Amino acid sequence: MKKFKSYFCMLRLRILLGMFLALGGVINAQAQGLIPVVCPTGFVFMTTTNTCELVSDKSYLSTTPDAGSAPSGVPSTLIANVLANDTVFWSIDDTSEPDKVEAANINYFQLAVVTPASNAGVKLKPSTGAVTATASVPPGSYSIVYKACFPGGFQFDPIAFEMTPDMLSEKCSEPTTVTITITDQVAGTCDISLSYMPAGGTPMAVPTLGTFAVGVLAALIAVLAWRSRHHGDKHRMMAVAAMAAAVSLFSMGGSSWIESVRAAGPYEFVNPAGGMLADGGVAYSDPAPLLTVTNTSGKRMRITANGNPAETGTCIVNQELASGASCTTQAYSCTPPVQPVAISNTSAPAIGCTAEPVLATYTNRLNTPIYGEFYVHAPLLTTEPDFDEPGVTTSISYTRNATDAAYDDSDFLTNGEALKSGVATVTSTAPEGYVFAPGNTSTMTWTFPYSCSTSSAG
């Protein structure tokens, strides 16, 4: 980056000098927290140098539309970082090198949501660039419009003496759209689908009739036959034949028509009239599982359709299977299990001491209250940790360093501090489908030494 103007160099030195002087009062600095610093107009904050730099309009950020999909019903991270396919162009006017294009880095640039998704469960995390969806988001298509910007300033930590990019400058990319699709597929499953019919048969060109429809047709024939039974011998014979046909048709229950059934393994061709074997809940694996299908219908069957267009395996269209024979087919349309959504901790917890109830009372000298006594209290969670996702639950537990008083030969208490103190553990638990970054664990813990007691005058 080219040298910035001398007047700003002096400004930076003055700022840093003031910060150094501020370090003399640590307690005051802690009370003030982070100090926001805004770069002058036309300047941007550069993390690589920790300075505000003048950048010409010839350098710019380019963003590319993003897309992702995930099944509904589970929380998911659809895009890990929208900046992964974005770039920054550096002009020779702003560097000591020829014009160049570099990958955009979430640590160097700021993200701003221009238009949020229509469902609040779909959101872009500016701190990480991740696009996530909660389990409650229904199937559909959602879009988020964002832009990437050079930081316009930074937050200064006077204790750690660190600068964190913050605020947006006026130097931003054009708005870019993220398109998210939530499907109605079930995570962690694959599909299987095979149609079959008796070998030598001709596929029917008429719609399939279910058992109910066949029953209605049989009943209609029976009614017409009954009404014709008194109209002469010829009519009576026709009526008897029609009624017999109705009974026969009804008893078949539609079994002579091709049925469509959903099956779960073991997979079999079971219907002597033919049908469809389908399962949308085959357990996911990578590569997709190769499944065995057995003809148990008692008849020779011909495969008429395979939902897997690649027909991976031996169950191919027009293949015939003798009764008891088997073939293999590979599942398709596999939806992998959803990866848990990462949660980031944004602030740590803090603890204090309870006032009530008193856990225990001890005397400074055995059986001699005149020497005074003290009361032991439990630690208390005064400030819960914050996270960038809702639904985290937090609890506190503790272990005391000692619970039984110890006295010396003169009956004076020897382990008072151990009785008052211990270790408190604060545990946060992520909701189902979430983990804590960066360890991808379901819980996050903090430990604090504590000492909690009050005393009476002795």
Side-chain angles (χ1 to χ4, degrees):
M1 190 64 63
K2 71 177 183 179
K3 298 291 184 180
F4 42 84
K5 296 182 180 180
S6 58
Y7 76 85
F8 186 71
C9 181
M10 293 299 297
L11 173 63
R12 180 188 173 216
L13 290 175
R14 290 172 184 171
I15 292 175
L16 292 177
L17 180 59
M19 291 175 178
F20 276 118
L21 293 175
L23 293 179
V26 174
I27 295 177
N28 291 335
Q30 285 179 328
Q32 293 171 357
L34 298 177
I35 302 173
V37 179
V38 181
C39 294
T41 303
F43 288 75
V44 300
F45 178 68
M46 300 300 297
T47 308
T48 52
T49 59
N50 278 342
T51 58
C52 290
E53 305 276 0
L54 182 63
V55 176
S56 68
D57 292 335
K58 293 181 180 180
S59 295
Y60 57 86
L61 282 159
S62 295
T63 49
T64 304
D66 302 270
S69 65
S72 61
V74 288
S76 56
T77 298
L78 298 101
I79 299 173
N81 181 6
V82 295
L83 282 181
N85 59 347
D86 299 336
T87 59
V88 56
F89 173 81
W90 293 113
S91 167
I92 191 173
D93 293 347
D94 297 311
T95 68
S96 58
E97 304 174 7
D99 292 351
K100 61 180 179 179
V101 176
E102 294 180 343
N105 189 314
I106 191 67
N107 297 318
Y108 301 157
F109 303 106
Q110 300 289 101
L111 292 174
V113 175
V114 178
T115 306
S118 58
N119 188 298
V122 178
K123 59 183 179 181
L124 166 64
K125 292 184 177 181
S127 60
T128 64
V131 178
T132 62
T134 62
S136 61
V137 178
S141 181
Y142 305 90
S143 62
I144 299 173
V145 179
Y146 78 94
K147 60 182 179 179
C149 302
F150 288 96
F154 58 92
Q155 294 280 355
F156 178 71
D157 186 340
I159 305 303
F161 208 78
E162 293 177 347
M163 304 176 191
T164 304
D166 194 29
M167 297 166 275
L168 302 175
S169 72
E170 72 278 6
K171 296 184 182 298
C172 301
S173 68
E174 292 297 321
T176 307
T177 301
V178 180
T179 303
I180 296 304
T181 302
I182 303 298
T183 69
D184 57 2
Q185 290 179 290
V186 179
T189 63
C190 302
D191 292 338
I192 176 179
S193 175
L194 290 171
S195 296
Y196 62 99
M197 67 178 304
T202 302
M204 297 182 178
V206 295
T208 297
L209 288 181
T211 302
F212 178 76
V214 173
V216 172
L217 179 60
L220 178 60
I221 295 174
V223 170
L224 294 175
W226 180 261
R227 296 182 62 181
S228 302
R229 71 189 188 282
H230 297 303
H231 293 79
D233 294 338
K234 186 176 180 180
H235 286 85
R236 279 197 295 272
M237 292 180 63
M238 292 179 63
V240 171
M243 292 177 68
V247 172
S248 176
L249 183 61
F250 189 82
S251 66
M252 290 169 64
S255 63
S256 62
W257 302 79
I258 296 178
E259 294 181 0
S260 176
V261 297
R262 182 189 183 281
Y267 297 102
E268 302 174 346
F269 292 159
V270 297
N271 195 336
M276 175 185 289
L277 182 151
D279 185 4
V282 179
Y284 174 87
S285 68
D286 185 16
L290 191 66
L291 308 168
T292 299
V293 179
T294 304
N295 179 10
T296 60
S297 67
K299 291 186 177 182
R300 188 177 185 84
M301 289 291 169
R302 178 168 62 88
I303 297 173
T304 59
N306 188 339
N308 181 355
E311 292 193 295
T312 311
T314 59
C315 296
I316 60 176
V317 175
N318 290 325
Q319 178 197 358
E320 294 186 2
L321 280 184
S323 179
S326 300
C327 62
T328 59
T329 185
Q330 190 168 34
Y332 61 96
S333 296
C334 293
T335 304
V338 174
Q339 297 300 314
V341 176
I343 300 177
S344 297
N345 173 238
T346 56
S347 68
I351 68 167
C353 297
T354 60
E356 295 291 343
V358 172
L359 293 181
T361 302
Y362 302 95
T363 56
N364 292 316
R365 189 172 186 182
L366 186 63
N367 300 322
T368 313
I370 192 172
Y371 282 90
E373 56 187 9
F374 64 90
Y375 315 103
V376 173
H377 301 270
L380 170 71
L381 181 63
T382 57
T383 304
E384 291 198 6
D386 288 327
F387 300 90
D388 61 355
E389 291 285 353
V392 177
T393 57
T394 300
S395 61
I396 184 172
S397 60
Y398 61 92
T399 301
R400 295 175 60 189
N401 289 331
T403 56
D404 296 326
Y407 294 89
D408 60 17
D409 294 340
S410 299
D411 291 337
F412 283 101
L413 185 68
T414 60
N415 65 338
E417 187 56 40
L419 294 170
K420 305 172 185 177
S421 61
V423 176
T425 302
V426 177
T427 303
S428 291
T429 303
E432 184 178 358
Y434 293 82
V435 292
F436 293 111
N440 291 336
T441 57
S442 59
T443 60
M444 179 175 284
T445 60
W446 296 261
T447 56
F448 300 91
Y450 75 89
S451 180
C452 294
S453 66
T454 55
S455 59
S456 64

